[in-house]
Amino acid sequence: DRLRGSGLDRDRSRREEFEGWRRLHAERVAKLQSIGRLDPQVDAFGWLLEEYRVHLFAQELGTASRVSPAVLKSTWRSLGGGA
């Protein structure tokens, strides 16, 4: 039922947005792993992404923290990333 009307297009758009953030995170994790480093803040960003996934696709579950594109952008910039 949720995909009727513009639901499918909306979900595609949301998935594309989410995948962009997921790729940025995965690239950062891979870069850190290649030099043998861990960064708890990058790990925390990964969990924030999971919260955002719930926010986008399973709103009925609710999220533990407030999450939005603005929050993701601000957090990513604090990690020294662009976007």
Side-chain angles (χ1 to χ4, degrees):
D1 285 341
R2 295 190 324 191
L3 295 179
R4 290 184 186 171
S6 64
L8 187 57
D9 290 336
R10 182 187 64 238
D11 274 5
R12 279 187 185 135
S13 174
R14 289 175 173 178
R15 191 184 101 236
E16 288 171 8
E17 176 193 4
F18 177 80
E19 285 300 316
W21 286 111
R22 189 200 57 75
R23 276 191 299 276
L24 284 173
H25 178 255
E27 289 168 4
R28 177 69 61 92
V29 168
K31 182 178 178 180
L32 289 170
Q33 286 177 341
S34 74
I35 59 173
R37 288 194 53 216
L38 297 173
D39 186 336
Q41 292 179 324
V42 173
D43 289 341
F45 185 82
W47 286 108
L48 187 62
L49 276 179
E50 291 304 318
E51 290 288 318
Y52 190 55
R53 183 193 315 244
V54 169
H55 170 76
L56 291 176
F57 301 109
Q59 295 91 356
E60 65 277 3
L61 297 177
T63 58
S65 60
R66 184 179 158 275
V67 64
S68 67
V71 170
L72 290 173
K73 184 180 263 188
S74 172
T75 304
W76 186 253
R77 283 186 175 161
S78 75
L79 297 175

